[in-house]
Each structure stands twice: as C-alpha cells, then as structure tokens.
C-alpha cells in the first residue's frame, strides 16, 4: 500500500476537500485542543482498549490518557481501518464523513469491532447519514445514539458535534418510519 494513499471514494465531481488533501497531505483535520477537550469529558477505564481509526497527526491518539491501551489505524501509514481485524472497547475519531458512503462504511466497521462505545467528531451535515433505514440497521446490531455535543472550531465555521454511540437504548434518539 502506498504511504500517501487516500480513500478511493468519490463524493461528487466537485469534491474540493478531496482535492485539497491530494495536494497538501499536511492538512490537519482535528485541532489538538478540541481533541483534548473531547477526551477530558469522557470517563476512561483502566486498561480499556481504545482505537483511533484515522490517526492523522495524532490529535486524538496522542491525547488519550495513560490508563488506556491505545491502538490506531491510518491509511496513509499503511493501516487501513476498513481491513482491521482486531476488537476494541472504544473507538474515537474524526472519521472521513464525505462522501457519506465512506462514513457509513466506517460506522459499520466500528460497530462490528467495538464492544462498548464509539465517539465520532462530525460535521453537522454528516448527521444526514443517520437515516431511518440506517438507524434501524444500527438497532439490529444493538447500537444506539446516546448523546450529541455541539463543538466549535473557527477554521470549520463552528458546525461540528461529537456523537456518542453505545450498546443500550437510552431513548435519546427516536425515529419513526413514516413517509410523506
């Protein structure tokens, strides 16, 4: 695998972000201060196995607490999360969410290998991936949205959130299958 491989998904013919990343692989997608803030607001267990599937420059990975066992994937370093074979307790990342198909592939993979909880930092428009059909798919796999926290980064025009998913239905997110 090439060290500078990028995801081979096409969102549309005018995908400006993909073009920027192709030209400048130093683009930092997550502000380390934001990653620290998110991590500091999570209760971590001693020995918990935590996966960062899109390590990038390590904004999340480098700030995980010492009490956890850390693992990571990064496609640009030859570790493709979508082919990862292990099992983990927790996943935390700013995953690729454009195109939505790629994010849903990440979501499905995360639900397959994760035993307890998932934390995604997402653009608010990425919430569109959670359609009633996909929420039903999650429910069948015993995964539910537990919490959503809005966060802001001026570089990204402030429209981001942290979604926490877990294995119990806390009734946070309700949907109805009614077509109009």
């Amino acid at each position: 695998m090439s060290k500078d491989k990028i995801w081979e998904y096409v969102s549309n013919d005018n995908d400006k972000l993909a073009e920027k990343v192709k030209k400048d692989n130093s683009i930092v997608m997550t502000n380390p201060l934001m990653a620290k803030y998110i991590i500091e607001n999570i209760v971590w267990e001693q020995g918990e196995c935590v996966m960062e599937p899109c390590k990038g420059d390590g904004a999340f990975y480098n700030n995980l607490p010492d009490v956890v066992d850390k693992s990571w994937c990064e496609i640009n370093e030859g570790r493709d999360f979508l082919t990862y074979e292990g099992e983990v307790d927790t996943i935390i990342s700013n995953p690729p969410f454009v195109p939505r198909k790629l994010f849903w592939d990440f979501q499905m993979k995360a639900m397959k290998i994760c035993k307890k909880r998932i934390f995604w930092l997402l653009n608010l428009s990425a919430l569109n991936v959670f359609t009633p059909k996909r929420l039903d798919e999650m429910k069948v796999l015993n995964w539910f949205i537990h919490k959503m926290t809005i966060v802001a980064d001026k570089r990204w025009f402030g429209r981001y959130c942290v979604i926490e998913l877990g294995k119990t239905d806390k009734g946070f997110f309700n949907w109805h299958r009614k077509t109009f």
Side-chain angles (χ1 to χ4, degrees):
M1 179 179 298
S2 168
K3 184 173 176 9
D4 55 346
K5 178 179 178 182
I6 61 169
W7 298 106
E8 295 173 9
Y9 284 76
V10 177
S11 60
N12 59 54
D13 293 334
N14 193 23
D15 188 343
K16 303 269 190 236
L17 180 59
E19 289 303 312
K20 279 184 181 180
V21 171
K22 280 182 190 176
K23 292 176 185 172
D24 181 5
N25 64 3
S26 69
I27 293 174
V28 176
M29 302 308 272
T30 307
N31 181 329
L33 293 175
M34 180 182 289
K36 265 184 166 173
Y37 169 80
I38 293 166
I39 288 167
E40 288 171 356
N41 285 284
I42 297 172
V43 176
W44 301 97
E45 296 178 14
Q46 180 74 37
E48 178 177 1
C49 182
V50 180
M51 159 66 74
E52 205 316 13
C54 306
K55 186 177 77 108
D57 289 338
F60 283 104
Y61 183 82
N62 295 340
N63 288 297
L64 288 169
D66 293 336
V67 300
V68 304
D69 294 328
K70 304 187 294 185
S71 63
W72 59 273
C73 288
E74 172 52 54
I75 196 164
N76 291 324
E77 294 185 39
R79 293 186 186 185
D80 183 344
F81 176 66
L82 297 177
T83 62
Y84 180 78
E85 297 289 330
E87 193 173 70
V88 298
D89 296 312
T90 299
I91 290 176
I92 186 168
S93 190
N94 175 2
F97 46 81
V98 175
R100 291 184 186 124
K101 167 78 171 94
L102 178 57
F103 170 62
W104 192 248
D105 288 347
F106 265 71
Q107 175 69 18
M108 293 300 289
K109 180 67 174 192
M111 291 186 300
K112 180 179 178 183
I113 68 166
C114 189
K115 296 187 286 187
K116 295 182 181 178
R117 58 196 182 157
I118 301 166
F119 297 91
W120 295 132
L121 173 61
L122 299 173
N123 178 296
L124 290 182
S125 67
L127 295 177
N128 290 327
V129 80
F130 295 103
T131 63
K133 179 183 175 191
R134 287 179 171 164
L135 290 168
D136 286 342
E137 289 177 45
M138 289 171 54
K139 185 176 184 177
V140 166
L141 297 171
N142 201 36
W143 281 97
F144 304 90
I145 296 174
H146 282 188
K147 183 177 171 184
M148 181 171 72
T149 305
I150 304 298
V151 292
D153 184 326
K154 288 181 182 179
R155 301 173 306 155
W156 298 336
F157 309 106
R159 296 182 290 265
Y160 277 70
C161 64
V162 179
I163 300 290
E164 178 183 345
L165 300 108
K167 302 288 269 178
T168 56
D169 185 357
K170 295 183 175 183
F172 171 76
F173 206 79
N174 295 307
W175 66 98
H176 303 281
R177 288 204 149 276
K178 178 98 173 145
T179 304
F180 297 94

